[in-house]
Amino acid sequence: MVQASAPGKCILFGEHAVVYGQPAVAVAIDQRMNVKLELSEDWRIDGMIFHPERHPHVDALRQRMWNSGPPLSIKITGEIPPASGLGSSAALSVAASAALRCARGRQITNDDWAEGWTAASPNNVYNGPWEFGKGDSVLFGMAAVDEDECAILSHAVEAHAQGGKASPLDSSTCSHGGCVVLSDKIENNLNWLYSRKLNDVRWEVHSIELDIPNDIWLVIGNTGLHAPTSEQVAKVAKVLEEQPERMTEIETIGIISRRGITALLEGDMEGVGRAMSENHLLLRNLGVSSPELENLVTAAAPSSLGVKLTGAGGGGCMIALTRDPKTTSEAIELAGGRTLISRLASTGMSVDEEGISGLWNPFEN
Ligand code: PMV
């Protein structure tokens, strides 16, 4: 048996503006998705027959990483509500790719990665097995798993499941954990991780080492409503098309995000909170809030350092930065929201049960 997990995420600053090249900041949250794999007579997911069309992320990973492997029983558990902007599908994809890699191992040659996403031919790397030469060996378990690989695989299958469109913000945050910043250029004051490109859009992915005081919490308030991200993005595009001068608001969100990043780097939680609340006002002005979100934001504000909607808006979730999570959570619940309480910048993907020799050795004749 092999088991892996990955955290969800929420966006602290810069949603929507990131579509126009401004920086966006996301943090991993304490709520996670877990994926457990066991060998089975036939393909099962949560005990039921596996229908690939109902699980596009898992199916895309299965095709890439388990092409001719034996059937598996897959169990998915987790605390991240789906379709609420908290990265549940990216967390699932990251956990599943970690579990599959752990279970199938990775061929190595002379101590270098010989198989996987870093290989010379990116189009064909998962269709292995590669020819197994003298001196080659296979690593199984945790040693075979790699955060960058999980991030890139998760990004690829998110794009596949969403008709070719996905930014790497969710996949990178859910894989690496902590705090991730996406921008259209390399940000000199941050730790640059890598570039990602998809359909002519290019992102620079960075991480920030955060030192968050112990008494600081995020309370996530879920409206329980779902507004598709694509519709919300289209709404902003329409505003900007009809009133091009409002691009200054997008640029102002960028300025606020950078101020938020500085406050995060300095451990200035009051500054982080102020930037969050200012970011919310601009998002509201752009038309991506909703009466339900406003209701929760208003309820949380008195006991918080900062409050804002998080993600695409229109429904989904808001977040509050607070030193008094109990009071903030109660206020949001009284206003009709469901809450989750998390620290900022939780740990990334982990292998929780690694098995000993994997579930399949694709290099065995
Ligand atoms: O709803 P989420 O958490 O997937 O956030 C969407 C973020 C947007 O900036 C609105 C869209 C995007 O592709 O970045």
Side-chain angles (χ1 to χ4, degrees), residues 142-222:
M142 200 120 59
V145 179
D146 179 82
E147 272 178 13
D148 286 8
E149 179 186 48
C150 291
I152 204 168
L153 278 168
S154 166
H155 185 206
V157 303
E158 286 249 286
H160 168 84
Q162 297 170 21
K165 275 197 184 154
S167 91
L169 187 59
D170 284 23
S171 45
S172 291
T173 311
C174 297
S175 191
H176 303 293
C179 180
V180 168
V181 179
L182 217 66
S183 181
D184 68 345
K185 60 172 188 286
I186 295 180
E187 304 282 339
N188 288 327
N189 55 339
L190 307 179
N191 172 31
W192 178 77
L193 295 176
Y194 41 71
S195 307
R196 288 278 192 265
K197 198 167 169 253
L198 187 71
N199 305 329
D200 295 333
V201 189
R202 186 188 167 99
W203 298 271
E204 304 298 341
V205 184
H206 313 72
S207 65
I208 314 184
E209 289 291 320
L210 293 188
D211 191 11
I212 304 286
N214 278 339
D215 62 342
I216 290 289
W217 300 85
L218 270 183
V219 179
I220 301 164
N222 191 347

Side-chain angles (χ1 to χ4, degrees), residues 293-365:
L293 278 167
E294 288 305 312
N295 200 14
L296 304 189
V297 161
T298 307
S303 60
S304 303
L305 301 174
V307 266
K308 67 182 277 291
L309 70 84
T310 186
C317 294
M318 50 71 69
I319 49 173
L321 188 76
T322 177
R323 288 203 172 88
D324 187 355
K326 189 168 177 285
T327 304
T328 306
S329 169
E330 280 169 6
I332 294 173
E333 299 246 345
L334 263 178
R338 272 168 288 157
T339 56
L340 297 167
I341 298 179
S342 171
R343 293 220 169 260
L344 278 83
S346 206
T347 52
M349 168 273 285
S350 69
V351 172
D352 306 318
E353 181 73 54
E354 59 177 324
I356 299 163
S357 56
L359 302 179
W360 171 43
N361 184 349
F363 309 107
E364 228 164 38
N365 292 323

Side-chain angles (χ1 to χ4, degrees), residues 25-355:
V25 183
V27 286
I29 55 175
D30 293 345
Q31 290 69 28
R32 301 176 77 84
M33 296 298 286
N34 311 290
V35 172
K36 186 163 114 181
L37 305 178
E38 281 173 301
L39 290 172
S40 166
E41 298 273 292
D42 50 8
W43 280 93
R44 302 240 149 206
I45 198 153
D46 294 329
M48 324 257 266
I49 297 289
F50 180 75
H51 292 287
E53 67 284 1
R54 285 192 210 153
H55 302 279
H57 299 83
V58 175
D59 186 47
L61 287 169
R62 183 172 76 137
Q63 286 177 29
R64 281 160 188 263
M65 303 182 79
W66 206 262
N67 209 357
S68 52
L72 293 173
S73 163
I74 305 168
K75 281 218 169 57
I76 301 171
T77 52
E79 309 139 332
I80 310 172
S84 53
L86 297 179
S88 68
S89 64
L92 166 65
S93 305
V94 167
S97 58
L100 286 166
R101 173 57 75 197
C102 188
R104 68 162 284 175
R106 186 197 298 274
Q107 178 189 6
I108 53 165
T109 306
N110 298 328
D111 294 338
D112 286 332
W113 290 138
E115 179 239 3
W117 67 279
T118 48
S121 166
N123 297 326
N124 203 26
V125 283
Y126 297 102
N127 296 338
W130 285 23
E131 205 169 297
F132 202 70
K134 199 163 162 265
D136 290 356
S137 56
V138 183
L139 289 176
F140 287 103
M142 200 120 59
V145 179
D146 179 82
E147 272 178 13
D148 286 8
E149 179 186 48
C150 291
I152 204 168
L153 278 168
S154 166
H155 185 206
V157 303
E158 286 249 286
H160 168 84
Q162 297 170 21
K165 275 197 184 154
S167 91
L169 187 59
D170 284 23
S171 45
S172 291
T173 311
C174 297
S175 191
H176 303 293
C179 180
V180 168
V181 179
L182 217 66
S183 181
D184 68 345
K185 60 172 188 286
I186 295 180
E187 304 282 339
N188 288 327
N189 55 339
L190 307 179
N191 172 31
W192 178 77
L193 295 176
Y194 41 71
S195 307
R196 288 278 192 265
K197 198 167 169 253
L198 187 71
N199 305 329
D200 295 333
V201 189
R202 186 188 167 99
W203 298 271
E204 304 298 341
V205 184
H206 313 72
S207 65
I208 314 184
E209 289 291 320
L210 293 188
D211 191 11
I212 304 286
N214 278 339
D215 62 342
I216 290 289
W217 300 85
L218 270 183
V219 179
I220 301 164
N222 191 347
T223 60
L225 300 172
H226 177 53
T229 299
S230 57
E231 282 175 19
Q232 295 296 105
V233 171
K235 205 168 172 179
V236 175
K238 189 158 178 277
V239 168
L240 294 173
E241 198 188 301
E242 288 170 0
Q243 299 160 274
E245 69 281 5
R246 295 189 64 184
M247 192 52 95
T248 53
E249 292 170 40
I250 297 288
E251 288 156 9
T252 307
I253 293 181
I255 293 169
I256 292 170
S257 297
R258 288 176 202 284
R259 211 173 334 120
I261 291 171
T262 305
L264 280 169
L265 288 169
E266 290 172 354
D268 168 15
M269 291 300 128
E270 275 72 17
V272 174
R274 268 196 309 277
M276 285 169 62
S277 295
E278 286 170 19
N279 193 161
H280 177 74
L281 295 182
L282 281 143
L283 288 167
R284 184 170 75 186
N285 238 14
L286 281 171
V288 293
S289 191
S290 70
E292 294 81 7
L293 278 167
E294 288 305 312
N295 200 14
L296 304 189
V297 161
T298 307
S303 60
S304 303
L305 301 174
V307 266
K308 67 182 277 291
L309 70 84
T310 186
C317 294
M318 50 71 69
I319 49 173
L321 188 76
T322 177
R323 288 203 172 88
D324 187 355
K326 189 168 177 285
T327 304
T328 306
S329 169
E330 280 169 6
I332 294 173
E333 299 246 345
L334 263 178
R338 272 168 288 157
T339 56
L340 297 167
I341 298 179
S342 171
R343 293 220 169 260
L344 278 83
S346 206
T347 52
M349 168 273 285
S350 69
V351 172
D352 306 318
E353 181 73 54
E354 59 177 324

Side-chain angles (χ1 to χ4, degrees), residues 9 11 15-16 18-19 85 167 170 229 233 311-312:
K9 70 96 196 22
I11 300 180
E15 51 273 267
H16 288 290
V18 67
V19 174
S167 91
D170 284 23
T229 299
V233 171

